Structures are given as C-alpha cells and as structure tokens.
Amino acid sequence: MMRVPTSERVLAYVILIVMAILVIAPVLAGSITAFKPQIIWVSSPPTWIFEPTLENFEFVFFTRKGWVYLRNSLIISVGSVAIALLLGVPAAYAFARFRFRSSKALMQWLISLRMIPPIVVGLPFYAMFLYLERGLGIGLRDTFPGLIITYQTFLLPLVIWMMRGYFAELPAAMEESAMVEGYTRLGALWRVVLPVVWPGIVATAILNFIFAWNEFFLALILAGNRTSTLPMTAGTYIVRTRVEWGNLFAVNLIIMVPVILLTIALRRQLVKGLTFGILE
C-alpha cells in the first residue's frame, strides 16, 4: 500500500482543522449567546465570561409559545418522512428490479426535482390550494396534510434515489429464492429484502427528516398561525429596529438539538446505511 508523504498528511490535517473551525466557531458563538442575559447580547467587545441564564429559552418556549411550533415541526417532519418512505421504498424497489420503457428518463427526472428551487413549486401549490379552497371547499392551506403533501416534492425523489441504490446492491437471487419457497414478490420484499436494507432505510429517514425539519420557504408560503414551524418563527426575532440575538440563537439551538440527538442515537445505522448502497 502506497504511503502518503508526511508533508501531504500534515497539510491535509491543517486544511481539515481550519475547515472545522470555520464551521464550529459560528455555531459555538451562537450557542453561547443563547445563554447570555439580554443586557450583554450585543456588548462591545463581546462578553464571554458571564452567568448563564435560561431567560431566552423561557421567553421563546413559553411567552412566544415555541412549544407549539416545536410540536408543529415534529408533526410535519415525521408525517412527511413516513409518507415519503411509504411511497418511495416500493417505487425504488421497482426502479431497481424492473426495466420498463423510459425508466431511465423517469429516474433522471425524479433526481432533477431535487435541484428545483422551492419557489418554483411553492407558488403553484399556493395557487392550487387556493383554487381547491374557493372552488371545491377543500382547505389545505395552513393545514398539516397540505404541508406534508407539499414536502413530498423534495423528499420523495430523495427516498427513491437513495433506496434504489441500496436495492440495486442486493442480488436478485434473494427474492427468487424466497419466491421458490412460496413467498409472493411483496412477501419476499417484506420478509427478506427490507430487513437487509434496514440501515439504508434508517439513513434515508434521517436525511429526509433533517431536510423536512429545516424547511423554511415552503412553510413560509403555505403555513399560517395554526401550522407555523420553528424555522419560520426564527425570522420573527429579526425586526425592523433590531435583532433579538439571544432569542434568535435560543430558537436556533432548539432547532439543532433534536437533529443532533437523533444523529447521535442512530449514528451506527446512519454510517452503515450511507456506505451500503451505491447507484449503478
């Protein structure tokens, strides 16, 4: 095995350390600000030694009803991921196992949906929901089902794209052997294939949850007082006259913590899943 020269390794470590500092430093500074008393939010020079306080979290969570927005974010994110997996996993299996006319073009179209800016789908969805509400009496604006349906535009293609790679890695003989034993195609998928690709499903679910949890623009257009999410409320602390830095960073910390805890708790499945399947 070729040995990497010491100078190149040192340079690589230096670059990685600098990049890590650039990423971690702003997050760390913001997290510290979340615990600062209001009087020193914007002190100059910045105050780094102080008595931590939870008043920012109390204001955000109770006075501004942040717990409601946290609940809304959980409902929308979990619901969106569940629907995306329910629809996307069978579709990915079909793409991996069956060849049909224009299947490659359809797959490329699904992948291209991930590149579309949110405003491209946000405004048409708003117009469609408005038509359904006024013309047919079906109200989807400012509702959980409406947002969950909208989120499928960027979650479902990701599920299909990732899970197709995992299914393509498995030999078709697995299902064929199960079908010889008497299982149907769906039975073989449920009892033989899915347990094998379970780490991939977990990894896909985590990544989709992160995207849904952090979504801002679609929620800004289609949500309202009843379904506002945490990322939406973060913008309310930036007003015309000032920025409420302590409250803003408290909201940001509340947004980050569930994702960090989820990633830590499922890190083994996440790493195994991300290294399991590769597209053909």
Side-chain angles (χ1 to χ4, degrees):
M1 185 174 61
M2 181 184 297
R3 291 180 58 85
V4 179
T6 304
S7 58
E8 294 184 9
R9 284 189 294 173
V10 171
L11 179 61
Y13 282 124
V14 170
I15 293 175
L16 290 174
I17 292 173
V18 171
M19 293 178 63
I21 292 174
L22 292 175
V23 172
I24 295 174
V27 176
L28 183 60
S31 301
I32 293 174
T33 304
F35 294 94
K36 287 184 177 180
Q38 182 175 353
I39 195 173
I40 60 172
W41 281 354
V42 290
S43 60
S44 182
T47 303
W48 301 111
I49 300 177
F50 58 91
E51 184 178 351
T53 178
L54 295 177
E55 61 183 19
N56 299 325
F57 294 93
E58 293 176 0
F59 178 82
V60 166
F61 211 71
F62 297 107
T63 305
R64 296 289 291 271
K65 296 183 179 180
W67 66 271
V68 175
Y69 308 127
L70 176 62
R71 180 203 63 188
N72 293 346
S73 291
L74 285 172
I75 293 174
I76 295 170
S77 299
V78 173
S80 299
V81 172
I83 296 298
L85 290 176
L86 184 64
L87 299 176
V89 170
Y93 179 77
F95 275 111
R97 286 291 185 259
F98 304 109
R99 294 292 182 267
F100 50 90
R101 186 175 181 181
S102 301
S103 61
K104 186 175 182 179
L106 181 58
M107 190 67 195
Q108 292 174 346
W109 174 74
L110 286 171
I111 295 174
S112 70
L113 293 177
R114 289 290 307 158
M115 307 175 188
I116 296 177
I119 191 172
V120 174
V121 296
L123 295 180
F125 265 109
Y126 181 85
M128 182 177 66
F129 288 173
L130 193 62
Y131 171 78
L132 291 174
E133 183 177 345
R134 294 179 177 178
L136 303 178
I138 303 175
L140 289 175
R141 288 190 305 161
D142 194 17
T143 64
F144 295 126
L147 286 170
I148 290 173
I149 291 172
T150 307
Y151 280 22
Q152 300 310 309
T153 57
F154 63 91
L155 294 184
L156 193 56
L158 181 61
V159 171
I160 295 175
W161 179 68
M162 291 188 64
M163 290 306 304
R164 178 189 176 276
Y166 300 137
F167 288 129
E169 283 289 305
L170 299 180
M174 291 181 59
E175 298 101 296
E176 295 171 358
S177 299
M179 293 171 67
V180 169
E181 295 294 330
Y183 288 108
T184 62
R185 171 72 69 171
L186 288 178
L189 173 64
W190 178 258
R191 296 183 177 273
V192 178
V193 178
L194 290 185
V196 177
V197 299
W198 178 249
I201 295 176
V202 173
T204 303
I206 292 175
L207 291 180
N208 277 268
F209 179 84
I210 292 173
F211 283 122
W213 183 261
N214 293 329
E215 173 56 39
F216 173 78
F217 192 82
L218 291 178
L220 182 65
I221 294 178
L222 300 172
N225 294 329
R226 293 178 298 178
T227 56
S228 294
T229 60
L230 278 176
M232 283 181 59
T233 61
T236 62
Y237 297 101
I238 304 175
V239 296
R240 180 176 299 180
T241 56
R242 65 169 184 160
V243 178
E244 301 176 14
W245 290 110
N247 298 332
L248 177 61
F249 284 120
V251 172
N252 290 342
L253 200 58
I254 294 173
I255 294 173
M256 288 191 301
V257 165
V259 174
I260 294 173
L261 294 179
L262 180 65
T263 304
I264 292 174
L266 300 174
R267 62 187 182 278
R268 292 183 179 178
Q269 292 87 342
L270 180 61
V271 172
K272 186 177 180 180
L274 290 176
T275 57
F276 180 81
I278 301 175
L279 277 175
E280 298 173 327

